[in-house]
Amino acid sequence: MRALGRPLVYAGALVAVVLFAGPFVFMVLSSFKQPQELNGVVNGFLPQSLYTGNYESLFATGNFPLYFVNSAVVALLTTVLALIVAILAGYALARFPFTGRRLLLLAVVAMQMFPAVLMAIPLYKILRNLGMLDARSGLILVYVTFALPFCIWMMRNYFVTVPKEIEEAALIDGCGHFRALWRVLLPPALPGVTAAGAFSIILAWDEFLYANTFVNSDEKRTLSVGLDSLVGQYTTDWGQLLAGGVLMTLPVVLIFAFLQRYLTQIAGGGVKG
């Protein structure tokens, strides 16, 4: 049975790789195909030649570089703000007893249950009243709001795993709470910080509904909305759409490749509730 189990594990891993990586590989290969290949005039899984015209036309005919910059700015600022608030809130929930703490924890979990479309109209009215419609700052505020529940819960759970005696020793040695947080609690919680940061940046990078609803100006669009504009009512430029999809997916792949060591620690070590 043991000899039979190992080939089954390898076979299952191979099937998983094909299912998850297959669409991305197909998109990358298709992005280098010529128009006649994409339109079905010439069939084949592999491109006949390394055609870069789709990428060239994407940068030449649209505002793709501007969309890319907008998405990068929104995603990075969302991640920084969400991590700052989540670290401080998680530390308070893990270390300081106060009235209503358990209720607040339940509220943080419950906030993740609301579908995004349910909050679109209330958030639209809030941003309109604040004068933050059609602005990157409005998107950042919305994305931070949706990223915080997961990030706070993750940071709180990691801080709970750090023995209180270590922090108390640091406080006795003269550290304040902020210094103890920075020097004592954050290093062992680095996998949690990484997971929360990865979640925040991907949420802001890929999100479409709010970016399409709250932003109207072309110069303030993000990548997801910019790529959607390539889909016309009667025709679609599949070459540009595939090339844009590759360039939009590549940063996410690189982020996970860079952070996989910390994400593996989360999967292997677990987190205490």
Side-chain angles (χ1 to χ4, degrees), residues 27 31 38 54 57-58 64 224 226-231 236-248:
M27 181 172 63
S31 68
L38 294 173
N54 296 322
S57 60
L58 179 66
F64 183 84
S224 57
L227 290 181
D228 180 70
S229 65
L230 297 176
V231 180
T236 299
D237 193 327
W238 292 107
Q240 290 190 25
L241 189 61
L242 288 166
V246 171
L247 295 177
M248 184 174 180

Side-chain angles (χ1 to χ4, degrees), residues 99-123:
T99 304
R101 182 175 67 168
R102 184 175 180 82
L103 182 62
L104 182 58
L105 282 171
L106 293 176
V108 168
V109 176
M111 288 173 63
Q112 302 182 65
M113 302 171 61
F114 290 97
V117 67
L118 186 66
M119 305 299 295
I121 295 178
L123 287 172

Side-chain angles (χ1 to χ4, degrees), residues 34-90:
Q34 300 183 32
Q36 58 267 29
E37 297 178 81
L38 294 173
N39 294 331
V41 177
V42 180
N43 295 320
F45 179 74
L46 296 175
Q48 291 184 327
S49 61
L50 196 63
Y51 177 70
T52 60
N54 296 322
Y55 292 89
E56 295 171 0
S57 60
L58 179 66
F59 283 93
T61 59
N63 288 327
F64 183 84
L66 184 59
Y67 301 153
F68 194 96
V69 171
N70 289 338
S71 289
V73 170
V74 170
L76 289 175
L77 291 180
T78 296
T79 303
V80 171
L81 293 176
L83 285 180
I84 292 174
V85 176
I87 289 172
L88 296 177

Side-chain angles (χ1 to χ4, degrees), residues 134-185:
D134 198 23
R136 291 185 297 192
S137 58
L139 281 182
I140 293 170
L141 178 62
V142 171
Y143 293 160
V144 169
T145 302
F146 274 86
L148 275 179
F150 173 84
C151 296
I152 291 174
W153 186 258
M154 176 68 69
M155 297 314 305
R156 179 260 174 191
N157 287 347
Y158 262 92
F159 290 148
V160 167
T161 63
V162 181
K164 291 184 178 180
E165 293 76 12
I166 300 177
E167 182 185 1
E168 291 172 353
L171 294 175
I172 293 174
D173 288 339
C175 287
H177 285 290
F178 283 104
R179 190 173 180 184
L181 170 63
W182 178 259
R183 294 294 185 91
V184 177
L185 290 177

